[in-house]
């Protein structure tokens, strides 16, 4: 992935955390910052089925989930379920905020229950299933903001920012090289070795190991205290009560636990320390905070609120 994505190491780490923690991700960034490219790079290196859904205002829920189709045969007619693009291991929901509420709601059951119900019949997803949705923060006209209930179903909200100038130079060279390679004949390109995709069994084995990561009682209390601070900000100074209108749900605590254990595993440790929690806290909490009009008027971002919470809440 690092060969396809230049200067976005944090983004690559967050995508891997989402995959290993068995959660759904919302990836947000300005146009052209390789949101779609990053997700495709992840799917390309896995032994999995990849599906991309381009969300548009005229999309229907059945375009996502699939529908019952009537087939006429010599023995008689019957209805058969034709799966939609949601039935894949990794699903890229591109520009999810361009679709109306009914289509966005079609993802809810799949994201939370890992199943889809069509015509009264339930169809289960594959054991490896992950939704990665993208959206552009500057799009306002003709878009439908995601409801809070659906935002809470995303394990993490990953922000992608502009790359440094040196990294952008590398991006220019990378894309130029890809264009030259694409225009060359396949017979002229030697086949590279060592590029076999990672099997799904490897992912499941990693998840089992992550499940064994030790989380002390103090770390459990620390994660719960961080989320509790979003619900009762009056105990943490004068700014947080003015900024926070709605705090995080229990999914926030569960998300901190999953992501902190995954972060510890990726760094070669069998236990969670405070740095693991602090590193992933912004991605887990930023989309679960309901900021007040006062905070929005002052230009206070969710990341600034999370940073203040981390600063205020002490380890037990």
């Amino acid at each position: 992935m690092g060969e396809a994505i230049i200067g976005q190491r944090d983004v690559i780490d967050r995508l891997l955390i989402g995959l290993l923690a068995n959660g759904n991700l919302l990836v947000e960034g300005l146009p052209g910052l390789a949101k779609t490219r990053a997700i495709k790079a992840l799917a390309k290196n896995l032994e999995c089925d990849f599906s991309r859904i381009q969300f548009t205002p005229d999309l229907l829920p059945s375009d996502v989930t699939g529908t019952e189709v009537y087939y006429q045969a010599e023995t008689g007619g019957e209805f058969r379920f034709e799966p939609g693009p949601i039935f894949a291991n990794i699903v890229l929901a591109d520009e999810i905020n361009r679709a109306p509420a009914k289509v966005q709601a079609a993802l809810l059951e799949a994201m939370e229950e890992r199943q889809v119900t069509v015509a009264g019949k339930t169809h289960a997803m594959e054991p490896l299933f992950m939704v990665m949705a993208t959206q552009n923060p500057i799009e306002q006209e003709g878009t439908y903001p995601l409801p809070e209930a659906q935002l809470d179903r995303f394990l993490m909200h990953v922000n992608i920012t502009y790359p440094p100038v040196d990294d952008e130079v590398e991006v220019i060279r990378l894309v130029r090289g890809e264009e030259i390679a694409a225009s060359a004949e396949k017979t002229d390109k030697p086949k590279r070795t060592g590029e076999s995709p990672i099997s799904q069994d490897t992912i499941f084995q990693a998840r089992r190991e992550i499940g064994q990561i030790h989380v002390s009682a103090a770390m459990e209390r620390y994660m719960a205290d961080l989320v509790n601070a979003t619900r009762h900000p009056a105990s943490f100074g004068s700014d947080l009560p003015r900024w926070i209108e709605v705090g995080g749900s229990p999914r926030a605590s569960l998300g901190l636990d999953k992501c902190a254990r995954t972060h510890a595993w990726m760094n070669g440790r069998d236990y969670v320390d405070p740095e693991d929690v602090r590193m992933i806290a912004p991605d887990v909490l930023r989309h679960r905070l309901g900021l007040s009009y006062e905070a929005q008027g002052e230009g206070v971002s969710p990341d600034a609120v999370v940073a203040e919470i981390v600063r205020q809440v002490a380890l037990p």
Side-chain angles (χ1 to χ4, degrees):
M1 290 180 64
E3 293 179 357
I5 309 297
I6 303 298
Q8 299 285 4
R9 278 292 171 184
D10 289 343
V11 174
I12 293 175
D13 285 345
R14 297 308 181 264
L15 294 182
L16 293 177
I17 289 174
L19 173 68
L20 296 175
N22 195 21
N24 306 297
L25 298 186
L26 177 63
V27 184
E28 183 172 323
L30 294 170
L33 293 185
K35 299 183 296 296
T36 302
R37 182 186 180 94
I39 297 171
K40 284 184 175 180
L42 173 63
K44 180 181 179 181
N45 288 279
L46 295 177
E47 190 180 82
C48 67
D49 293 327
F50 173 73
S51 177
R52 179 179 181 271
I53 309 173
Q54 180 64 54
F55 279 60
T56 57
D58 60 347
L59 203 66
L60 298 176
S62 59
D63 296 331
V64 175
T65 61
T67 187
E68 294 278 336
V69 178
Y70 183 78
Y71 285 88
Q72 182 66 46
E74 294 181 358
T75 57
E78 63 175 353
F79 281 96
R80 301 177 190 170
F81 177 67
E82 291 292 335
I86 192 68
F87 287 90
N89 299 122
I90 294 183
V91 179
L92 168 58
D94 218 352
E95 296 186 299
I96 188 174
N97 56 333
R98 286 189 177 274
K102 280 188 176 181
V103 180
Q104 294 175 6
L107 289 175
L108 289 179
E109 186 180 14
M111 291 170 57
E112 189 70 13
E113 305 296 335
R114 305 303 172 97
Q115 65 183 28
V116 166
T117 303
V118 178
K121 297 180 181 179
T122 300
H123 306 273
M125 299 298 181
E126 294 291 332
L128 178 61
F129 174 74
M130 182 182 187
V131 173
M132 294 187 177
T134 70
Q135 67 177 11
N136 299 326
I138 61 172
E139 297 288 347
Q140 301 296 332
E141 186 175 353
T143 62
Y144 304 83
L146 294 174
E148 287 76 6
Q150 185 166 346
L151 280 174
D152 200 30
R153 284 167 168 80
F154 287 102
L155 178 65
M156 290 192 296
H157 179 187
V158 181
N159 275 341
I160 299 182
T161 58
Y162 286 123
V165 175
D166 292 340
D167 288 341
E168 192 150 359
V169 172
E170 292 298 323
V171 170
I172 295 173
R173 295 171 180 169
L174 173 65
V175 174
R176 183 194 302 136
E178 290 177 345
E179 292 174 350
I180 295 173
S183 63
E185 293 292 335
K186 292 184 178 180
T187 56
D188 295 337
K189 295 186 298 181
K191 186 175 181 180
R192 298 172 64 184
T193 59
E195 290 188 352
S196 58
I198 299 173
S199 68
Q200 294 187 22
D201 289 339
T202 303
I203 302 299
F204 296 142
Q205 176 62 31
R207 289 178 178 178
R208 287 191 290 270
E209 293 180 7
I210 290 170
Q212 302 301 316
I213 296 293
H214 176 68
V215 184
S216 66
M219 285 296 95
E220 293 172 342
R221 182 58 185 264
Y222 180 53
M223 290 184 282
D225 285 344
L226 286 174
V227 178
N228 190 61
T230 68
R231 303 168 188 163
H232 307 284
S235 303
F236 300 91
S238 59
D239 288 331
L240 288 179
R242 295 189 301 108
W243 293 343
I244 300 177
E245 191 171 285
V246 181
S249 73
R251 286 196 185 102
S253 302
L254 297 174
L256 287 175
D257 175 61
K258 288 181 179 180
C259 295
R261 283 187 285 115
T262 306
H263 188 272
W265 182 87
M266 290 174 60
N267 285 274
R269 282 181 280 104
D270 60 356
Y271 62 92
V272 172
D273 67 10
E275 191 61 23
D276 295 317
V277 179
R278 291 167 181 162
M279 286 296 293
I280 53 87
D283 302 281
V284 175
L285 297 178
R286 66 165 57 101
H287 60 298
R288 293 184 163 96
L289 297 179
L291 300 188
S292 65
Y293 286 110
E294 189 173 356
Q296 298 176 37
E298 294 178 5
V300 179
S301 67
D303 284 8
V305 176
V306 174
E308 181 65 16
I309 291 173
V310 171
R311 190 180 71 84
Q312 293 274 2
V313 176
L315 283 169

